[in-house]
Every structure is written in C-alpha cells, then in structure tokens.
Amino acid sequence: MSGWSKGEAREYQEKLRLDGEQYREFSETAGFLFNAKRLDVDCRFLELSDARDFYEKFCGALPCCVVSISTTTEYYKILLGELKGSNSHALMNGEQDNSPWLGNDILGWDIGGFHSFLCNSLQKELPDVRFNGVGLLGNVFSEVEGFARQIQGKGEPVEWIPCRIGMYGQNAEFDRLTGGGKWERQGQRERQG
C-alpha cells in the first residue's frame, strides 16, 4: 500500500500470511475497490459480494470472518440523512441480510463511522438489555428498537440506530480460536427462545 515504509508493508504482509505476489494482488484489489467507491475509508466493504470475494481470496489463513451490519428500511433512511457531508462513500446497497445472526447492537453514525452505544456507557440506561457470549445484544430486534428510542438524545449527539449483526465466512482458523460454530448455534437458540 502506498505511503508505507518497506518495513511496515512487510510486517503487514506477514500478519496477513501472504507471499509477495498475494500481497501485491491484495494491495491492488483494495486500491481498486477504494477508487471504485466500494471500500470505504474505514475499510468497510459497501457490497457484500466484494467482502465475500476479498475474504475468500485473501483471508483463508487468518482467524477472521466477515461481519455484516444491517437494519430495517425505516432506520436505513435515517442513516442516509446522516451521511450528508460525511466522508463516507455510501452505506448498504439494500441487499437482504440472510447471514447467521450474531446478535444486535445500537450504533450511531459519527464523523464517517459507526460506534456502539456502549462507547457512551448507555447500557446503564437500559436495565433489560441482555448480552450474549460475543458481547452483542441478545435481545430480539423489536426490543433493541425500543432500547434505541429510550437512549435518543443521550450520549453523543447521534441518531441511535438498532442494527442486526451477522457473520459470513467463518474459517477453520476462526473456528479453532473461538470454539467452532458456537456463536452461530448460540444465535439460533436465542432467536428461538
């Protein structure tokens, strides 16, 4: 990636476990997606298909997965209003999120990126929140919508948006480090019960 010293680029390449040719392709692909306004300045993929392709091509040896953030049309419209004057290229493109559910969160859009209601310790305002094993809200989405309404106007001056967090592309290394597909199984149990 341009602007990095050779040592920094080499260290990054080693962390990614990529050989020289793979790293060159990784850098070129990231640059192309950024220039095409399909990768945001905060490294957020704007199209799920790009995130999946990138993951499959470059992340096989890393303990990682692709995490999706989605919300309903009502809240998406609020986010679109928040983007005016932002340095973000866009948000989501309306794809249906059918990923395995990890949990929910309440996110605010601030200066070109998301942050959780937890950044402002607003969970203290919500005695009925339940957290799951990955630190996300285990409450059903309709309850999370109610929580978002309760904290509007509190903390930082942002619109608090209820969001569903999903996961794609869990790999063997991720399974090894995190105990396998237990997060997906836990999410299924929480949705059912």
Side-chain angles (χ1 to χ4, degrees):
M1 301 208 143
S2 62
W4 289 11
S5 71
K6 281 188 175 185
E8 289 171 330
R10 187 173 30 259
E11 183 180 337
Y12 197 63
Q13 176 184 341
E14 289 170 5
K15 284 183 181 182
L16 292 171
R17 302 178 190 163
L18 300 174
D19 65 30
E21 179 60 24
Q22 290 170 318
Y23 185 73
R24 183 193 59 72
E25 190 175 353
F26 166 87
S27 297
E28 288 176 0
T29 302
F32 169 79
L33 291 171
F34 182 77
N35 290 331
K37 299 189 184 312
R38 292 165 40 193
L39 180 66
D40 209 339
V41 294
D42 60 3
C43 299
R44 190 170 19 90
F45 291 93
L46 302 177
E47 296 183 22
L48 178 58
S49 58
D50 288 335
R52 284 179 175 164
D53 292 346
F54 200 87
Y55 172 85
E56 290 171 9
K57 194 167 205 172
F58 302 112
C59 300
L62 299 173
C64 64
C65 65
V66 175
V67 176
S68 65
I69 302 170
S70 58
T71 193
T72 63
T73 302
E74 170 189 355
Y75 298 106
Y76 179 66
K77 289 178 182 176
I78 294 169
L79 283 172
L80 288 177
E82 293 286 311
L83 288 173
K84 293 178 181 160
S86 169
N87 65 353
S88 179
H89 301 309
L91 261 173
M92 306 154 239
N93 67 1
E95 291 180 63
Q96 182 67 31
D97 187 356
N98 295 315
S99 65
W101 179 79
L102 282 178
N104 296 305
D105 202 347
I106 302 170
L107 301 175
W109 181 261
D110 190 25
I111 311 175
F114 289 110
H115 63 90
S116 174
F117 77 115
L118 298 172
C119 298
N120 290 260
S121 298
L122 294 175
Q123 75 279 7
K124 295 174 184 175
E125 304 283 329
L126 305 167
D128 295 329
V129 298
R130 286 184 294 107
F131 293 97
N132 64 22
V134 293
L136 294 169
L137 294 171
N139 301 78
V140 296
F141 192 81
S142 60
E143 292 174 321
V144 176
E145 287 180 294
F147 298 153
R149 285 190 292 276
Q150 290 177 47
I151 62 171
Q152 289 305 332
K154 297 179 181 177
E156 295 183 43
V158 298
E159 286 283 336
W160 294 112
I161 306 292
C163 295
R164 177 193 187 276
I165 311 298
M167 179 178 65
Y168 292 88
Q170 184 173 326
N171 63 26
E173 182 67 1
F174 184 87
D175 283 348
R176 185 183 71 73
L177 291 173
T178 63
K182 71 181 183 181
W183 308 126
E184 182 179 345
R185 290 188 301 274
Q186 179 180 346
Q188 289 170 345
R189 283 192 305 271
E190 289 173 355
R191 281 193 308 274
Q192 293 168 351

